[in-house]
Amino acid sequence: MKSIYSTFTGLFKDGKPIDFLATWKKTLDKASEREVALFQKTYSDEWFDWEAPQLSLRAEGIMGKYHLRVMATLIGDESPTPLRRSDGFDIWNEEIPRVGHKFFMKASTYRKLLEVYKSPFLKDGQKVKQIEKTLRNDVENAYLGCKDTADFMILKAISNFGVCRFIPSINNPGGREFEIDYLMDEANKLVSALLWNDANSKAGKLDIILTLTMIVTLFKNKGVVFEELLMAPELLAFIRRDITIREAAYGKDKSGKVVTIPDLNTLFADNGLPKVREITRLVGIEKDGEREPLDPWNHNMIVFKPAGKIGFIQPSIEDNELFEEDNVDYMNAGNGIRIAKWRTGESTGQKAGEYTQGSARLIPVITEINGIVCLQVRGFEEPGEAVEGVTFYTKEQFDQKAAAASLVG
């Protein structure tokens, strides 16, 4: 059956009769036209462009490679131009998965809305406000939940050496196993030679500015310029407390206080380093009927991010847009996300109430994956004695060193 909101007729807003679902369809359409998030901004909005939905269920992206350009050859007037190999891009191709969830509104909630609707003591404006509040809450949760999945994919991948995994028992209850590998270059996967912890900091073993500067310089020589250093709050707090950072910012005589973020950014800028940015994004999952917070960010990583957009979100046309049902109300929320609302009851053999569903087919395509660098500074065992002058390894070098150390041990 159609949504209960289609039965709330007879109310007026600004002197005109109101159709709740039609009004919300217009609101969502206008938000899509302006290309802004309806309810809030997400990382998928800030760092990515949203492409138009396509029919194909495969996403394809041209992944930029960062390398030195080849200088043109000085040739004679009659000489042919030399042929260069075209190796500037890789083609990345991946399945576009379906994401979705639905929310159930019980008959008892409908009773309360009906009381508001039929109350002789409330003005139309008050009734409209109360009914819209309930409608908005369901639509907002259904809509933003789909964008949360896009954010999860992005943050998990860029803080996990370019890989995002969905595992039903861990982060995708009720769903499927799925892995997205953005094929980050091995040279962009780095591991610190020392753990970034209080023991190494107090022992004077860490040189945070030197390590970060070496990485920034290394990639600047490849044509990659970073805008931000992304990290978890506790890692940022550790850097601000590190003795070498405090002395560099305030001098030895005033090094007793923790470095403020503005002063840290000033210190970093003076050393040619990007500004820091704290990542504090939580999403929710539902296990056994209970909601639990889930942090997609790897707290052991510092991520070097280039300026501007780093990719695009590729939606595909949702199945229910191809096969709409007569007894369901649909809304296009933009970016390929669809909202569906329908009632259930005796005729369907289900509990009386209303479902609000948000669903989409989408996947982020990180075209600038090789302009992003992951530096793991925690969450590992130091592989034996540190080599003098070495502050970080590629992950491949680190794994080899760790394996050799375990054999010796």
Side-chain angles (χ1 to χ4, degrees):
M1 292 180 285
K2 292 275 190 177
S3 168
I4 61 168
Y5 289 94
S6 62
T7 67
F8 291 123
T9 56
L11 290 180
F12 286 76
K13 186 177 183 181
D14 301 326
K16 298 179 182 179
I18 185 170
D19 179 335
F20 285 97
L21 294 180
T23 299
W24 271 81
K25 284 177 184 177
K26 288 178 183 176
T27 302
L28 291 165
D29 285 342
K30 286 178 181 177
S32 303
E33 288 169 10
R34 291 194 305 267
E35 296 181 354
V36 297
L38 177 58
F39 299 103
Q40 68 180 36
K41 279 286 185 183
T42 59
Y43 289 107
S44 58
D45 293 308
E46 181 183 354
W47 294 342
F48 289 73
D49 290 316
W50 287 78
E51 296 293 299
Q54 63 181 33
L55 269 172
S56 170
L57 295 181
R58 304 289 301 184
E60 190 170 275
I62 298 176
M63 318 302 274
K65 275 188 174 295
Y66 293 82
H67 56 75
L68 290 173
R69 263 192 314 272
V70 178
M71 186 174 71
T73 303
L74 195 151
I75 55 177
D77 293 342
E78 306 300 327
S79 302
T81 56
L83 179 66
R84 310 293 193 212
R85 61 191 179 95
S86 179
D87 60 354
F89 302 97
D90 283 337
I91 301 296
W92 182 84
N93 190 287
E94 184 60 80
E95 172 193 349
I96 302 177
R98 186 169 189 257
V99 304
H101 55 174
K102 57 180 179 276
F103 300 86
F104 184 68
M105 184 174 74
K106 298 181 290 187
S108 57
T109 304
Y110 177 54
R111 286 176 184 270
K112 291 178 183 177
L113 286 180
L114 209 54
E115 284 178 6
V116 169
Y117 176 64
K118 293 189 173 182
S119 173
F121 305 106
L122 296 174
K123 295 180 181 179
D124 273 4
Q126 294 171 304
K127 294 179 182 180
V128 168
K129 188 175 180 180
Q130 190 61 41
I131 293 171
E132 277 190 332
K133 182 181 177 182
T134 308
L135 173 60
R136 177 191 175 93
N137 186 58
D138 288 341
V139 173
E140 178 175 342
N141 286 333
Y143 168 74
L144 282 180
C146 294
K147 298 189 82 173
D148 285 342
T149 306
D151 266 19
F152 180 89
M153 294 175 182
I154 293 161
L155 294 176
K156 192 72 175 176
I158 68 172
S159 67
N160 194 44
F161 298 126
V163 177
C164 173
R165 294 185 182 92
F166 286 89
I167 303 170
S169 60
I170 298 175
N171 58 21
N172 196 32
R176 59 179 283 203
E177 284 198 19
F178 191 73
E179 178 178 294
I180 312 167
D181 188 343
Y182 289 100
L183 306 177
M184 177 182 281
D185 274 356
E186 291 302 318
N188 295 44
K189 303 175 185 179
L190 306 178
V191 182
S192 173
L194 292 168
L195 284 166
W196 287 26
N197 58 21
D198 289 333
N200 283 332
S201 177
K202 288 174 182 175
K205 293 181 180 180
L206 288 180
D207 193 329
I208 291 173
I209 290 179
L210 175 62
T211 302
L212 298 178
T213 302
M214 287 175 68
I215 294 170
V216 167
T217 304
L218 174 66
F219 282 87
K220 189 180 288 185
N221 290 336
K222 296 180 180 182
V224 183
V225 178
F226 302 115
E227 181 185 46
E228 293 178 312
L229 297 174
L230 313 178
M231 64 191 76
E234 68 271 19
L235 194 48
L236 178 55
F238 167 79
I239 293 172
R240 293 169 58 204
R241 294 194 316 268
D242 177 72
I243 183 60
T244 58
I245 294 293
R246 284 184 282 147
E247 288 181 355
Y250 300 136
K252 288 191 177 183
D253 56 330
K254 296 180 181 178
S255 63
K257 64 176 183 175
V258 174
V259 179
T260 66
I261 292 178
D263 287 345
L264 179 65
N265 279 328
T266 299
L267 174 64
F268 276 14
D270 289 343
N271 285 275
L273 295 175
K275 62 186 177 183
V276 298
R277 180 169 180 177
E278 191 177 75
I279 303 295
T280 56
R281 179 73 157 100
L282 291 178
V283 298
I285 57 172
E286 194 167 291
K287 278 187 176 181
D288 303 320
E290 297 293 327
R291 291 188 181 182
E292 297 180 8
L294 182 67
D295 189 344
W297 188 257
N298 187 338
H299 286 225
N300 298 321
M301 291 287 186
I302 293 176
V303 175
F304 297 69
K305 179 193 165 293
K309 304 281 186 176
I310 58 172
F312 61 90
I313 312 288
Q314 183 57 69
S316 183
I317 294 172
E318 237 290 51
D319 293 357
N320 64 22
E321 189 167 359
L322 299 173
F323 299 98
E324 289 192 350
E325 296 183 43
D326 293 335
N327 59 347
V328 178
D329 284 296
Y330 297 98
M331 290 179 268
N332 282 322
N335 301 325
I337 301 172
R338 295 266 288 175
I339 306 296
K341 292 183 73 66
W342 68 93
R343 276 180 289 170
T344 57
E346 290 180 356
S347 63
T348 60
Q350 296 171 286
K351 220 160 115 183
E354 166 136 340
Y355 282 99
T356 303
Q357 174 181 279
S359 60
R361 286 186 179 272
L362 57 84
I363 193 169
V365 181
I366 307 177
T367 55
E368 304 304 303
I369 191 66
N370 291 317
I372 296 169
V373 171
C374 290
L375 172 65
Q376 185 174 355
V377 297
R378 291 177 173 175
F380 59 85
E381 289 188 18
E382 293 177 0
E385 291 295 321
V387 179
E388 187 176 350
V390 175
T391 59
F392 62 89
Y393 305 99
T394 65
K395 189 174 185 303
E396 189 174 33
Q397 291 169 336
F398 180 88
D399 290 343
Q400 290 171 355
K401 190 171 176 60
S406 67
L407 288 174
V408 171

